[in-house]
Amino acid sequence: MSNAPLGRSETGDPLLLTPGPLTTSKTTKAAMIHDWGSRDATFLAANASMLKRIAALAGHADSHVTVPVQGSGTFAVEAMITSMVPKNGKLLLAINGAYGVRARRMAEIAGRASASVEFPEDRPVDPAAVDAALAADPAITHVFVVHCETTSGVLNPVDAVADVVAKRSRKLLVDAMSAFGALGLAATTKYDALAASSNKCIEGVPGLGFVVCDKAAIAAAKGNATTLTLDLHDQWAGFEKTGQWRFTPPVHAIMAFSQALDEHAAEGGVEGRGGRYRRNCKVLVDGLRAMGFQTLLPDAQQAPIIVTVHMPADPKFVFQTFYDRLKEQGYVIYPGKLTVADSFRIGCIGRLDETHMKGALAAIKATLAEMGVASGAPARKAA
Ligand SMILES: *Cc1c(COP(=O)(O)O)cnc(C)c1O
């Protein structure tokens, strides 16, 4: 049995080593213990400030505007795709994981023409392939790419893809859900829209999605939407006119998000937050390798967000038992989502530091010993 202390958050909950919802600070949760009407002046001021701060965090306080969407991150991605790609447009999707596949379904359901360039889940998107696809098909108006593909944790070269897209005079849409707030893009990187949500690297609670939109692009998006609720142009126009949400806003999620943004700034913004996650990731990966585990990705392609680990070969290793025993010790990990390899995932994001990662490693070590598993090594070396 492990004699390490239980993994616990500031509010005594098991730690979430997952891609979101995440462990949040006590102060972020405490920001929700009030009631606000959707027309409440305190709420509306916090909401307006939040929207400005998100665009500033993206590095585009002047050129872009934040349009929020009720719901999880997927709602924001669907709002982005269906509102920014016009009815006669065509979307090229760079796909290397489940989130790219999901985005393609959104385009198909909305009746938008689409094409895709696909890559293995354990490889980053190749900008040269995007370039070739754009050269070959002048009908393509927009390109979609995911910053960190959370399916595997692979980091995609969004800056380089953006350069190719700009050179070919097309528009870029970015799913930066699991990167925003921890991994930045170059100041020169151009995009029409970038989607993210409250419950990932900003460490808020779930319920709020948002899309950072180029001002000219959102102004030109009237009439594109395929649904009322996910019409980003209408949502934006509503804010411009009245400063209010069209439909009931997730007031508590927004107030918690405002607090989470304060805490993000106090930590040193993207650099500070990304630095902590990089330290978490390094401690985790080093500790796992010391137990024989093998990560899916080489370090150069690994984003410090979530780590995919090959399933150990030892027949005594039973994932469900491993998962349940870790949960009992206060560490919630995540099943794999890969189609290419049997794997599980461990997140580095949320209100977690190196001490928490070391605690998780101690719990993993104790659990392997209990199961009688000598090594975390997979059946064969991944390429
Ligand atoms: C989390 C995530 C989403 C949105 O997922 P939800 O479950 O709707 O919050 C979209 N794209 C990526 C890359 C993500 O990591």
Side-chain angles (χ1 to χ4, degrees), residues 131-322:
D131 191 40
L134 293 179
D137 188 350
I140 294 166
T141 54
H142 292 71
V143 175
F144 171 90
V145 67
V146 180
H147 193 176
C148 166
E149 233 308 348
T150 322
T151 309
S152 65
V154 70
L155 183 66
N156 281 325
V158 173
D159 291 323
V161 171
D163 287 348
V164 160
V165 173
K167 197 187 75 197
R168 298 266 176 211
S169 305
R170 317 299 171 86
K171 314 280 193 190
L172 184 66
L173 308 178
V174 184
D175 172 354
M177 206 65 60
S178 62
F180 190 78
L183 306 174
L185 294 172
T188 49
T189 283
K190 282 200 169 63
Y191 51 79
D192 263 20
L194 176 146
S197 76
S198 54
N199 66 271
K200 294 206 171 166
C201 301
I202 308 291
E203 301 184 357
V205 305
L208 175 71
F210 47 88
V211 187
V212 178
C213 301
D214 175 83
K215 284 179 178 170
I218 190 66
K222 191 179 171 80
N224 289 348
T226 53
T227 60
L228 173 67
T229 51
L230 297 180
D231 186 341
L232 277 189
H233 179 275
D234 202 41
Q235 187 89 317
W236 166 77
F239 282 112
E240 293 288 300
K241 219 155 95 190
T242 67
Q244 294 178 358
W245 288 69
R246 293 177 300 161
F247 316 120
T248 300
V251 285
H252 294 86
I254 290 164
M255 296 310 269
F257 194 68
S258 296
Q259 173 65 26
L261 281 171
D262 288 346
E263 295 178 13
H264 181 267
E267 193 176 350
V270 172
E271 219 165 287
R273 183 62 51 91
R276 173 159 59 85
Y277 291 171
R278 275 188 286 279
R279 291 191 295 278
N280 286 351
C281 187
K282 172 108 175 66
V283 167
L284 177 67
V285 168
D286 287 351
L288 288 170
R289 286 182 183 153
M291 286 182 255
F293 286 104
Q294 197 186 334
T295 60
L296 176 78
L297 299 168
D299 295 347
Q301 290 166 7
Q302 173 74 59
I305 304 297
I306 191 162
V307 175
T308 299
V309 184
H310 284 288
M311 214 55 99
D314 191 322
K316 294 207 270 314
F317 184 91
V318 180
F319 179 73
Q320 192 60 50
T321 310
F322 181 67

